[in-house]
Every structure is written in structure tokens, then in C-alpha cells.
Amino acid sequence: MLVKGVRMYGKSDLRFETFDIGEMGEEELLARVVTDSLCMSTHKAALQGSDHRAVPDGIDQNPVVVGHEFCAVVEKVGARAATDLRVGDVFTVQPKMFLDGEVRGPGYSFAAYGGDITHIRVPREALEGNYLLPYRGKGYFRASLTEPYSCLISALRAQYHLAPNHKDHVMGPRAGGCMAVLAGGGPMGMGMAQCAMGMENRPELIVVTDVDAQRVQRARKLLVPQNGVRVEVVDTSGVEDVPALLRQIAGGRGFDDVMIMAPVPAVIAQADAISGEDSCISFFAGPTRKDFFAPVNFYDVHYNDKHILGTSGGDIGDMREAIEKISSGEIRAEVMVSHIGGLNAVTDTTLRLPSIPGAKKLIYCGLDLPLTAIADFAALGESDPMFARLHRICEAHDGLWSEEAEAELLKSARKI
């Protein structure tokens, strides 16, 4: 079966091409991919190639499809496929698979199973492991965003503090405490704050920092306080003593939970400086370098019960929670989206992802469309009726992407 998609052949070698994925087997499933949300993890994998833990050797001869935050529609089910999904069902995936003791997954490890492709063959291992999750909410794009939110939920649930006996762990953020989301003006930082506000043991104060004025402005507009949580978005560019400023905002106390959203030593130093007694620092952002180091005060680790941890991805339970919260509207996933594009935009966008302003870049895999910022719809609409319609729809939804905008795009945009 001939498809169009983006495959990785080596370090920084992504190619948009037409290729044959073969015939679907009796234990497999065939699906049409509708959306894929581009992830910084894919950018990092593209830089590392086979040095990445989930990318196999030999991709120069056996390339792999990239993209893992996707939503697809079932088109055919093998006679012996281990799934309850049927033709027409919509699903998203848990990409972190464990096969023969190794981490593997769509977007990293498979020749015909990933997000940036028109059609996929879902392998037997993914079906038998129940890595596919039905999605019955509104908007294909929201299903794509359940995976990044699951990673955020996982990180928050991994936080811990000490019980009164100073041995047992009380899991999750400190209820009624102070949380900092450092370098958090991007989509994942805003998502972290959203998820934290919805947790049972939610903080009383969340401080989000960033050095990019545009990201700060966007976060201030879109991060709506919920459940009595106070939210402060702080521009730390040009601030001489960031820890002092943040501690002042927190009423002079140290922070209970600190989430590090960028692998930058200076940000890690800030996290170390603002953390209080029995605090938990989460290194959420994954570095590309395996020799990444940053100084931490281990006196505080020993005497002041400072805890340091890192998480990578979520699990099936986190995915189910993300799907439930997004489908119910408890989480407004649309605040993550700043750009849309077609499958033809994936290669360049993925390789340049850190340098492109805005938030999540949402790909429609059946369309031919350059990467386009929602903020540019109005200007483009002066000469293109489709963008004029999209601008009107987005304006009616607080300037955000929506299922109505998605329906208009799928109806009007050029097919790939």
C-alpha cells in the first residue's frame, strides 16, 4: 500500500516521501492518521538518530516513521487482531512500548507505524499490549494532545513529599503548597499548570516563569485560574536575582514543588535556589546530551529533605486520565495549539522546532499546507477565503483552535 509520510534515515535526516508500507497482516490494524501534534521529543530523536534509546540501528537502510502524538481512524481490522476497535472508531496511542526489555514506540521504532504518515499498519505488539485507546470526545486534534497531557499528569503524580514519620512518601504535589513551573511559558509549561490546578492535592499558588515576552503574554492570557489556585506568570528576562523575586512572590518561603521545563543549567540552578524544606524538584525536560550536568546543593538533599526526580512519558493510566479530562472539558487542550500545517510541513518544522515561536504545531496528515500561525489567519484571509473563514471561527473561540475550525480546514484545504 502506497502512502505519504516522513521517515528518519539518520541524524537530522528526515524525508517526506511516498513509500510502500506493505499489506496489512491478519493480526494487524490499518488506520488513517488525521492529526499529529509535533513534539520536542521528535526533534531530539531527529538530532540523535540511532543514538536515541528508542530508535533502532540501521535506519539508513530501514528508515522509521516519525511522530507519536497522533489521532487516527480505523479503516480495516485483521481477522486475528487483538482489539475491540472496529472500522470507523477513532483512537489515540500510548507511544511508550516495552518490547523484549527495550523501550520502543511509534514515531521512533517502526517502518509503518507513526504519526506523520497518511496511513499506518498497527503492529500486533501494539494491539496485544493495549497501547491503543479509543477517543470519543470532540475534535481529532484534542485526541492528539492527550499524549502530551499524559506526560504532564505522570510527572505531577510522581512528585512526593515526606509523611510525618519522615520515611513514607505522600505522592503528588503538596496540597495547598507553592509550585513553580520554570521556563514554563511554552505549551508544556502551560499544560503543567493546567493539570496541577485540576489535581486533588493541588497547590495554592503556581508561578510560571519564562524569558520570552511573547510566551509570557500568551500564558497570561490563556492560563485561567481554576479551583481557587492563584496563578502568576513572570517574565524573568533581565531580572538580576530570579530566586529572590520568586521567593518574594511566594511570601518569602521556599517552593514545595518545582517543575523544570527546559534543560538549561541556569534554570536548574534557579530550581535549586527556590526549593524549600521537604521540596520536590522534577526535571521534566529531557536533554539531548548524555553528559548533561548541573550543580545541586546536596547539603539540602541530606538535611532539608530536598527530593530530585525525573519522568519520561506517561503510562496507560495517565493516558486514560488525560482523555477523560480533555473530553469533559476540564482541560482546555486547545490552549496548546498555535500553528497548523499539512504533512508536507513536518520535515522542516521538526528540525527547526525550538526556533519557531508559539506553542504546539498541529499537523493534518491528509493535507498539503505550509506551517501557519493562527495569529496570521487574519492577514492571510485578505487574499484567501479559507483563512478568512478560519480567522472568524477562531475569533469566536477566544482566538483558539477548535473542532469547528478543524472541520472547516478538513473540508476546504488542499489534500496531500
Side-chain angles (χ1 to χ4, degrees), residues 323-365:
I323 289 172
E324 180 182 346
K325 289 180 180 293
I326 289 173
S327 298
S328 69
E330 182 178 339
I331 289 177
R332 297 180 70 204
E334 56 268 32
V335 305
M336 275 203 179
V337 181
S338 65
H339 293 65
I340 60 167
L343 193 60
N344 55 302
V346 169
T347 297
D348 177 69
T349 303
T350 300
L351 293 175
R352 295 193 304 112
L353 201 53
S355 66
I356 304 175
K360 276 284 189 182
K361 283 65 183 178
L362 180 68
I363 298 299
Y364 283 87
C365 297

Side-chain angles (χ1 to χ4, degrees), residues 97-113:
M97 301 168 57
F98 296 92
L99 302 177
D100 299 324
E102 296 185 332
V103 177
R104 291 290 183 259
Y108 301 96
S109 315
F110 295 96
Y113 181 39

Side-chain angles (χ1 to χ4, degrees), residues 163-182:
N165 64 8
H166 282 264
K167 291 190 297 183
D168 295 330
H169 292 174
V170 178
M171 302 307 296
R174 188 185 300 282
C178 297
M179 175 181 288
V181 184
L182 303 183

Side-chain angles (χ1 to χ4, degrees), residues 174-179 197 201-206 226-231 250 253 256:
R174 188 185 300 282
C178 297
M179 175 181 288
M197 285 189 278
N201 47 341
R202 51 185 167 268
E204 181 181 85
L205 168 69
I206 299 176
Q226 300 175 31
N227 300 319
V229 180
R230 175 182 157 213
V231 179
R253 58 175 291 191
D256 302 290

Side-chain angles (χ1 to χ4, degrees), residues 262-286:
V264 179
V267 175
I268 296 171
Q270 291 172 10
D272 186 60
I274 66 173
S275 56
E277 187 173 348
D278 189 20
S279 59
C280 192
I281 299 175
S282 173
F283 185 48
F284 181 84

Side-chain angles (χ1 to χ4, degrees), residues 8 20 22 66 74 78 130 138 187 191 236 255 265 285 291 306 313 326 340 349 369-370 388 411:
M8 175 167 37
D20 191 347
V66 299
V74 178
N130 293 315
K138 296 180 179 179
T236 56
F255 283 79
D291 60 345
K306 178 186 295 182
I326 289 173
I340 60 167
T349 303
L369 184 74
K411 180 182 72 173

